[in-house]
Amino acid sequence: MASHTTMGYISLRRQVFSYEIKHLHKQIKQFMMLAVFFLGTAIPALFFAALLAFGIVLDNESSVSQLLFISWALLMTQNMMLMLFKQAILGSRYGFFVASFHCRKVKPWLCDIGFAMLCNPILILYLFVIGSIEPQDWPQIPHGFVLLYLLSSGMLMSLYKPQSSLVFLGLALIVIPIVNEQSLLFGLFMFCCCQLASLLFYYFRVQNFMVINILLPAPLTFWLSLARGSKFSAMQTSRSGHKHNTLLIACSMATLVTVMASYSAHQLPQYSLVVHAIGGSFIILATASLQLSIRKIIALYPLFFKIYLDNPSFSRLQYWVSAAATFIMLFIAAAFFKSMLVIAYLIPAAVCILIAQKYPRIFIITWITTSVLTGLLLNLAA
């Protein structure tokens, strides 16, 4: 009986995975067409670039900061791939059906890992590279096995703790310029420490937010909880397919953009103005899109929110979380960029937040238009 239940569970998970992959096929096809349009014949070179990246890291002959940045890029690419296929890997849209099979926890976990490996060419290629090295040479590449641990644990974080994975990537990117005078092994060990810190942050974040909730007035706490999405994560349905752009995810993405833009501007100082302009516009995209998440939840439960939105003073506060997050992240970016020009993006940010709530269909067009106009004005002013 137990064997029959196990086979039924595995069969259901396999069917769900196949169906979700087919469901994603159209989106992936559109993405690939866009990639072919921009990259053309360079696409096959991406696979060789991954193998080359592994070889560079294992040889350990470049500068530590470059090797750590390559390692970070591999972790980031893996995270993006798994986030794209996460719904298919976990079968989350069919959780009620999957839960009807009373299996031991190890079987669902093995299914998750198996399907994740099918969607993770980065880890598969790296295992192939490690396996091609003679075992007697393994003691010479301890950093290679630390990277293997980071990729493996990063895969699990992307599946089960996606918010922590974003925090981890942000912390790791900040650590790179700090440990550039140390060895690669030490730098990767610091990546492991960042991973542990991000998991602890995820564990203790509820208690931290409780302190913030006590300090804030009740109306502000209400909209803050809504933007965080923690109170509403269970409201997702397979029909709506709504995924919340929580405050933590938005700020993590804005932090990643800030550090990457700062690093790029440092490497290419002649293009610093352009890089800062692009960084500022993407910070707006990350934080202003919080308003889209809030709007979707309001539209999903109109009768509940009508009670609150009938009060004009309370209704106006729905913009405060997006506005505060944008304001804080732009000032952090100004500190990283060592330039106050990025503060000019506060005006297009206000426009984008308002459009996200009133006219969400033209949000992207508005973001592109205001970003381009602001970038041109900053270029003329410089």
Side-chain angles (χ1 to χ4, degrees), residues 16-316:
V16 169
F17 179 77
S18 300
Y19 176 80
E20 291 290 352
I21 292 296
K22 291 179 182 178
H23 185 70
L24 285 169
H25 178 71
K26 184 177 180 180
Q27 301 178 37
I28 297 172
K29 184 178 179 180
Q30 292 175 351
F31 174 78
M32 289 303 298
M33 290 177 63
L34 185 64
V36 170
F37 178 77
F38 282 104
L39 299 177
T41 57
I43 291 180
L46 295 177
F47 294 98
F48 294 102
L51 291 172
L52 180 62
F54 293 138
I56 293 174
V57 172
L58 292 175
D59 286 341
N60 194 14
E61 294 182 354
S62 301
S63 65
V64 173
S65 59
Q66 182 180 1
L67 294 173
L68 289 175
F69 192 78
I70 292 173
S71 302
W72 180 89
L74 292 169
L75 292 166
M76 181 66 176
T77 304
Q78 174 185 258
N79 183 74
M80 292 174 63
M81 288 183 176
L82 292 173
M83 291 297 286
L84 176 63
F85 294 103
K86 179 184 174 183
Q87 193 164 268
I89 294 170
L90 300 180
S92 53
R93 293 208 301 169
Y94 301 89
F96 291 109
F97 299 101
V98 173
S100 64
F101 287 82
H102 299 286
C103 298
R104 294 181 180 178
K105 292 184 179 180
V106 66
K107 293 182 177 67
W109 186 79
L110 289 175
C111 286
D112 294 345
I113 298 302
F115 293 135
M117 289 296 294
L118 292 176
C119 301
N120 191 1
I122 297 292
L123 184 55
I124 293 175
L125 283 173
Y126 191 62
L127 288 172
F128 173 78
V129 172
I130 290 291
S132 64
I133 300 175
E134 295 294 333
Q136 59 266 25
D137 296 329
W138 286 354
Q140 301 177 15
I141 52 169
H143 54 280
F145 288 94
V146 178
L147 180 58
L148 177 61
Y149 164 78
L150 287 168
L151 288 170
S152 303
S153 56
M155 180 178 72
L156 296 178
M157 287 183 64
S158 299
L159 293 179
Y160 303 122
K161 305 292 183 184
Q163 295 177 338
S164 291
S165 67
L166 294 175
V167 175
F168 159 61
L169 290 170
L171 291 176
L173 195 58
I174 295 173
V175 161
I176 292 176
I178 299 176
V179 300
N180 61 352
E181 299 296 332
Q182 307 296 326
S183 66
L184 175 60
L185 183 61
F186 179 81
L188 292 176
F189 176 75
M190 292 303 298
F191 276 18
C192 296
C193 294
C194 291
Q195 194 176 72
L196 177 61
S198 64
L199 289 172
L200 291 175
F201 174 79
Y202 179 85
Y203 179 77
F204 289 109
R205 81 189 193 285
V206 176
Q207 289 84 343
N208 294 335
F209 272 113
M210 286 178 61
V211 175
I212 296 175
N213 291 345
I214 293 173
L215 297 177
L216 290 176
L220 299 184
T221 301
F222 175 84
W223 293 112
L224 177 62
S225 299
L226 196 67
R228 284 165 49 198
S230 58
K231 303 290 185 182
F232 301 88
S233 59
M235 295 182 180
Q236 299 183 22
T237 63
S238 59
R239 181 174 60 85
S240 64
H242 172 51
K243 296 182 178 64
H244 301 288
N245 180 12
T246 63
L247 179 63
L248 179 58
I249 293 176
C251 291
S252 298
M253 293 303 296
T255 302
L256 290 176
V257 169
T258 299
V259 179
M260 290 182 67
S262 177
Y263 181 86
S264 301
H266 179 73
Q267 297 297 318
L268 301 170
Q270 65 272 30
Y271 300 109
S272 60
L273 183 61
V274 176
V275 173
H276 292 167
I278 295 174
S281 64
F282 275 97
I283 290 173
I284 292 176
L285 179 63
T287 54
S289 60
L290 279 169
Q291 203 61 43
L292 293 174
S293 177
I294 294 175
R295 186 185 186 280
K296 286 181 179 179
I297 300 176
I298 292 175
L300 195 60
Y301 303 95
L303 296 179
F304 172 79
F305 284 100
K306 187 177 185 299
I307 301 174
Y308 297 95
L309 298 180
D310 282 343
N311 184 340
S313 60
F314 195 93
S315 177
R316 285 194 293 269

Side-chain angles (χ1 to χ4, degrees), residues 314-334:
F314 195 93
S315 177
R316 285 194 293 269
L317 291 176
Q318 65 184 286
Y319 301 102
W320 88 268
V321 178
S322 300
T326 304
F327 183 82
I328 293 172
M329 293 310 305
L330 285 177
F331 267 90
I332 292 175

